[in-house]
Amino acid sequence: MNMKKLSLAALSMTLSATLLAGCGGAPATSTPAPTPAESAPVETAVAAEAVKTGLSMVTSVAKSKDASADGNGQAQANVALVAVTVGDDGVIDACVIDAIQSKIDFDAQGKLVTDPATKFSSKNELGEAYGMKKGSSIGKEWNEQAAAFAQYAVGKTVEELKGIAVNEDGQATDADLAASVTLEVADFVSGIEAAVNNASHMGAQKGDKLALTTSTNMDKSKDASADADGLAQAYATVAAVTLNGDTVTSCYIDSVQANVNFNAAGTITTDLTAAQPTKNELGDAYGMKKKSGIGKEWNEQAAAFCAYVTGKTVDEVAGIAVTEDGDAADADLAASVTIGIGEFQTLIEKAAQ
């Protein structure tokens, strides 16, 4: 056999294998191509988790007192507020706690002493002006302690919060929690539970900013006369608002009229132990439907406004046209909301601050 021919044949086979490899072919000894299961995963968008928005308002006028020869009477309304976002599994995603404490004075002749034009700030709005820090054993103001407890509640369920150990004074005994909260925690827990229980899906998603805003006046308060009792009314309107950037993702509005009546001698005639339900809680019992031109109760109109502004930016909400009376000028909105919307708009603007 011609050895030269054999060498040429071997060389030809080697060159062919090399060319095949360079063009995408592979010699038998090459590593197999990865199967689809071994390939790098393709990233896909993960849908944001929907959460429910809830609000609770618990009002008491029990600390009100009669006027006497020694001093003025006072109608004091304490409104405890909690806003939450919560998952379907009951785990709290976000929480804000606040309170309103309004004090309306009247004298022994049944005359208002506090200016009816007075507006009442919430405890969070007052901040250090509320004055708890100087008497606090941990040097923290009411709003700081409320914020600390709200943050502690995030990631927990109501049942877990109800299991917090407390001492005889109702203060948390857990060292970490007690370092930032010395207030009684039972009212905070019950407020969170109420907010969670009435929460519903309104468009919020996990991670949205949660805000709780308030507006409280005593505009409808009046003196007593020989023919009729006077009225000290703290009128609080509150909104729980969630935001993604500057867009409203959910909105929950409620209101309470905390009424304390007194006679011309400055003696309170209201049962101070009676419940002070919110307008949403009253529902049809509030009595607006029968006078409404569109046959809708206050709570229905408030809910309609909330639905209308969801998906709009804060600037768009602020820009909703109103009539001289403060009613919605937009025909679609006016078909379901005939109450004044200016205060509602203000509450949403405050949420973005």
Side-chain angles (χ1 to χ4, degrees):
M1 182 178 290
N2 190 323
M3 298 301 296
K4 185 175 181 181
K5 288 183 179 180
L6 284 174
S7 297
L8 289 172
L11 178 61
S12 177
M13 291 176 66
T14 301
L15 288 172
S16 297
T18 302
L19 288 170
L20 282 170
C23 295
T29 57
S30 298
T31 303
T35 64
E38 296 171 333
S39 301
V42 178
E43 293 186 7
T44 56
V46 178
E49 181 182 339
V51 290
K52 297 181 286 187
T53 304
L55 171 67
S56 72
M57 298 178 67
V58 180
T59 304
S60 171
V61 294
K63 292 188 176 181
S64 301
K65 63 180 182 179
D66 298 333
S68 69
D70 298 324
N72 292 328
Q74 186 175 84
Q76 179 174 323
N78 292 322
V79 188
L81 306 169
V82 177
V84 297
T85 51
V86 58
D88 289 332
D89 56 2
V91 176
I92 296 165
D93 175 58
C95 178
V96 183
I97 298 172
D98 202 352
I100 302 162
Q101 187 178 77
S102 63
K103 297 179 179 180
I104 302 173
D105 291 345
F106 51 90
D107 62 24
Q109 287 72 50
K111 304 297 183 185
L112 290 170
V113 175
T114 304
D115 184 354
T118 301
K119 309 296 181 186
F120 299 98
S121 299
S122 74
K123 290 184 181 181
N124 283 351
E125 289 173 324
L126 287 169
E128 291 192 9
Y130 181 63
M132 175 177 282
K133 180 181 284 190
K134 57 187 177 184
S136 168
S137 60
I138 58 174
K140 290 187 180 294
E141 190 50 75
W142 189 96
N143 65 303
E144 295 175 299
Q145 297 195 38
F149 191 84
Q151 184 57 45
Y152 179 83
V154 172
K156 296 179 176 64
T157 65
V158 169
E159 290 306 311
E160 288 174 319
L161 295 175
K162 291 169 77 171
I164 295 173
V166 297
N167 59 24
E168 294 179 354
D169 297 322
Q171 300 166 314
T173 57
D174 176 83
D176 291 337
L177 183 55
S180 56
V181 183
T182 56
L183 294 165
E184 293 184 33
V185 301
D187 286 345
F188 289 164
V189 174
S190 61
I192 291 172
E193 181 176 20
V196 168
N197 287 344
N198 68 26
S200 61
H201 286 289
M202 301 179 183
Q205 296 182 333
K206 191 170 185 178
D208 286 353
K209 173 189 172 182
L210 173 65
L212 176 58
T213 59
T214 69
S215 175
T216 308
N217 65 67
M218 56 172 286
D219 296 351
K220 294 185 179 180
S221 300
K222 61 181 181 180
D223 296 337
S225 68
D227 300 321
D229 284 348
L231 173 65
Q233 182 188 84
Y235 193 160
T237 305
V238 179
V241 182
T242 58
L243 298 163
N244 183 347
D246 63 350
T247 299
V248 177
T249 57
S250 73
C251 181
Y252 191 143
I253 294 176
D254 202 352
S255 183
V256 66
Q257 292 172 316
N259 296 329
V260 175
N261 295 109
F262 53 90
N263 62 25
T267 302
I268 292 173
T269 58
T270 296
D271 178 4
L272 299 181
T273 65
Q276 299 279 334
T278 69
K279 291 184 180 181
N280 284 351
E281 291 169 335
L282 286 168
D284 285 352
Y286 181 63
M288 175 177 282
K289 182 179 288 188
K290 58 187 177 184
K291 300 177 182 178
S292 170
I294 57 174
K296 292 187 180 292
E297 191 49 76
W298 188 95
N299 64 304
E300 295 176 298
Q301 297 195 38
F305 177 85
C306 289
Y308 180 82
V309 299
T310 298
K312 291 181 170 55
T313 66
V314 173
D315 285 345
E316 287 172 333
V317 175
I320 296 173
V322 297
T323 67
E324 292 181 357
D325 297 324
D327 301 330
D330 177 87
D332 289 338
L333 183 56
S336 57
V337 183
T338 57
I339 55 179
I341 64 170
E343 191 169 39
F344 293 171
Q345 290 171 292
T346 299
L347 290 173
I348 292 174
E349 287 183 81
K350 289 172 71 173
Q353 296 172 0

